[in-house]
Amino acid sequence: NLIIYSNLDGVAVSRGFSFQLDYNIGEFFRWNTGFTWMDVFQMDEEKGKRDINYTPPISSTNGIGFC
């Protein structure tokens, strides 16, 4: 089960960790926050490990809403 792309020499790796926290503030409000850390790179024999453009290593989200 391989997907082979002609524009990619070697392999691409995407790995990471995500954390999400939800918290009720009193009876009426809910607060949530989270972050994701990603390590995305391309690996080939000739050039070794190279970062892939437009892939931020950390992203986060925050929100407050009604329960």
Side-chain angles (χ1 to χ4, degrees), residues 20-26 29-33 63-65 67:
Q20 182 74 27
L21 178 68
D22 291 325
Y23 182 73
N24 288 338
I25 302 170
F29 294 103
R30 172 178 286 166
W31 172 65
N32 62 18
T33 187
I64 295 178
C67 292

Side-chain angles (χ1 to χ4, degrees):
N1 294 340
L2 294 176
I3 299 174
I4 300 172
Y5 296 96
S6 62
N7 65 343
L8 178 65
D9 294 327
V11 296
V13 177
S14 176
R15 59 186 174 195
F17 174 80
S18 182
F19 179 78
Q20 182 74 27
L21 178 68
D22 291 325
Y23 182 73
N24 288 338
I25 302 170
E27 290 184 36
F28 301 106
F29 294 103
R30 172 178 286 166
W31 172 65
N32 62 18
T33 187
F35 75 92
T36 301
W37 170 80
M38 293 291 295
D39 184 22
V40 180
F41 60 90
Q42 180 179 344
M43 182 72 101
D44 61 21
E45 291 182 17
E46 183 178 306
K47 297 179 183 175
K49 181 179 174 182
R50 295 183 298 149
D51 289 337
I52 297 177
N53 294 337
Y54 311 114
T55 56
I58 297 175
S59 64
S60 64
T61 182
N62 295 290
I64 295 178
F66 295 104
C67 292

